[in-house]
PDB file of all heavy atoms in Angstrom:
ATOM      1  N   ASN A 128      87.937-149.255 -47.717  1.00 98.00           N
ATOM      2  CA  ASN A 128      86.569-148.870 -47.424  1.00 98.00           C
ATOM      3  C   ASN A 128      86.662-147.400 -46.885  1.00 98.00           C
ATOM      4  O   ASN A 128      85.754-146.602 -47.187  1.00 98.00           O
ATOM      5  CB  ASN A 128      86.083-149.774 -46.371  1.00 98.00           C
ATOM      6  CG  ASN A 128      85.778-151.189 -46.946  1.00 98.00           C
ATOM      7  OD1 ASN A 128      85.721-151.317 -48.070  1.00 98.00           O
ATOM      8  ND2 ASN A 128      85.646-152.154 -46.012  1.00 98.00           N
ATOM      9  N   GLN A 129      87.559-147.081 -46.167  1.00 98.00           N
ATOM     10  CA  GLN A 129      87.742-145.720 -45.608  1.00 98.00           C
ATOM     11  C   GLN A 129      88.015-144.728 -46.640  1.00 98.00           C
ATOM     12  O   GLN A 129      87.369-143.630 -46.774  1.00 98.00           O
ATOM     13  CB  GLN A 129      88.842-145.642 -44.515  1.00 98.00           C
ATOM     14  CG  GLN A 129      88.483-146.321 -43.245  1.00 98.00           C
ATOM     15  CD  GLN A 129      89.694-146.197 -42.221  1.00 98.00           C
ATOM     16  OE1 GLN A 129      90.043-145.167 -41.889  1.00 98.00           O
ATOM     17  NE2 GLN A 129      90.197-147.371 -41.818  1.00 98.00           N
ATOM     18  N   ILE A 130      88.822-145.081 -47.708  1.00 98.00           N
ATOM     19  CA  ILE A 130      89.041-144.238 -48.800  1.00 98.00           C
ATOM     20  C   ILE A 130      87.833-144.030 -49.712  1.00 98.00           C
ATOM     21  O   ILE A 130      87.560-142.847 -50.059  1.00 98.00           O
ATOM     22  CB  ILE A 130      90.218-144.702 -49.702  1.00 98.00           C
ATOM     23  CG1 ILE A 130      91.516-144.666 -48.945  1.00 98.00           C
ATOM     24  CG2 ILE A 130      90.265-144.034 -51.031  1.00 98.00           C
ATOM     25  CD1 ILE A 130      92.773-145.349 -49.552  1.00 98.00           C
ATOM     26  N   LYS A 131      87.049-145.000 -49.905  1.00 97.00           N
ATOM     27  CA  LYS A 131      85.772-144.842 -50.567  1.00 97.00           C
ATOM     28  C   LYS A 131      84.945-143.819 -49.902  1.00 97.00           C
ATOM     29  O   LYS A 131      84.204-142.913 -50.530  1.00 97.00           O
ATOM     30  CB  LYS A 131      85.077-146.227 -50.818  1.00 97.00           C
ATOM     31  CG  LYS A 131      85.819-147.086 -51.664  1.00 97.00           C
ATOM     32  CD  LYS A 131      85.081-148.409 -51.834  1.00 97.00           C
ATOM     33  CE  LYS A 131      85.862-149.440 -52.723  1.00 97.00           C
ATOM     34  NZ  LYS A 131      85.107-150.651 -52.808  1.00 97.00           N
ATOM     35  N   GLN A 132      84.772-143.947 -48.550  1.00 98.00           N
ATOM     36  CA  GLN A 132      84.070-143.005 -47.790  1.00 98.00           C
ATOM     37  C   GLN A 132      84.624-141.556 -47.791  1.00 98.00           C
ATOM     38  O   GLN A 132      83.870-140.621 -48.098  1.00 98.00           O
ATOM     39  CB  GLN A 132      83.786-143.314 -46.321  1.00 98.00           C
ATOM     40  CG  GLN A 132      82.866-142.523 -45.618  1.00 98.00           C
ATOM     41  CD  GLN A 132      81.421-142.393 -46.119  1.00 98.00           C
ATOM     42  OE1 GLN A 132      80.860-143.386 -46.416  1.00 98.00           O
ATOM     43  NE2 GLN A 132      80.959-141.134 -46.257  1.00 98.00           N
ATOM     44  N   LEU A 133      85.815-141.547 -47.820  1.00 98.00           N
ATOM     45  CA  LEU A 133      86.709-140.232 -47.930  1.00 98.00           C
ATOM     46  C   LEU A 133      86.351-139.587 -49.216  1.00 98.00           C
ATOM     47  O   LEU A 133      86.062-138.253 -49.261  1.00 98.00           O
ATOM     48  CB  LEU A 133      88.128-140.523 -47.725  1.00 98.00           C
ATOM     49  CG  LEU A 133      89.028-139.243 -47.951  1.00 98.00           C
ATOM     50  CD1 LEU A 133      88.877-138.231 -46.933  1.00 98.00           C
ATOM     51  CD2 LEU A 133      90.555-139.828 -48.003  1.00 98.00           C
ATOM     52  N   ILE A 134      86.328-140.238 -50.337  1.00 97.00           N
ATOM     53  CA  ILE A 134      86.090-139.672 -51.564  1.00 97.00           C
ATOM     54  C   ILE A 134      84.583-139.012 -51.577  1.00 97.00           C
ATOM     55  O   ILE A 134      84.317-137.893 -51.961  1.00 97.00           O
ATOM     56  CB  ILE A 134      86.029-140.717 -52.741  1.00 97.00           C
ATOM     57  CG1 ILE A 134      87.560-141.019 -52.970  1.00 97.00           C
ATOM     58  CG2 ILE A 134      85.608-140.136 -54.021  1.00 97.00           C
ATOM     59  CD1 ILE A 134      87.948-142.271 -53.634  1.00 97.00           C
ATOM     60  N   ILE A 135      83.557-139.839 -50.868  1.00 97.00           N
ATOM     61  CA  ILE A 135      82.115-139.160 -50.947  1.00 97.00           C
ATOM     62  C   ILE A 135      82.297-138.038 -50.035  1.00 97.00           C
ATOM     63  O   ILE A 135      81.626-136.963 -50.324  1.00 97.00           O
ATOM     64  CB  ILE A 135      81.222-140.325 -50.211  1.00 97.00           C
ATOM     65  CG1 ILE A 135      81.058-141.364 -51.156  1.00 97.00           C
ATOM     66  CG2 ILE A 135      79.962-139.768 -49.950  1.00 97.00           C
ATOM     67  CD1 ILE A 135      80.580-142.718 -50.657  1.00 97.00           C
ATOM     68  N   ASP A 136      82.996-138.046 -48.765  1.00 98.00           N
ATOM     69  CA  ASP A 136      83.000-136.931 -47.888  1.00 98.00           C
ATOM     70  C   ASP A 136      83.579-135.629 -48.607  1.00 98.00           C
ATOM     71  O   ASP A 136      83.149-134.485 -48.402  1.00 98.00           O
ATOM     72  CB  ASP A 136      83.833-137.328 -46.656  1.00 98.00           C
ATOM     73  CG  ASP A 136      83.104-138.333 -45.841  1.00 98.00           C
ATOM     74  OD1 ASP A 136      81.940-138.670 -46.096  1.00 98.00           O
ATOM     75  OD2 ASP A 136      83.836-138.978 -44.860  1.00 98.00           O
TER      76      ASP A 136
END
Side-chain angles (χ1 to χ4, degrees):
N128 293 340
Q129 290 179 60
I130 290 170
K131 288 177 181 179
Q132 184 59 51
L133 172 64
I134 291 167
I135 292 167
D136 294 346

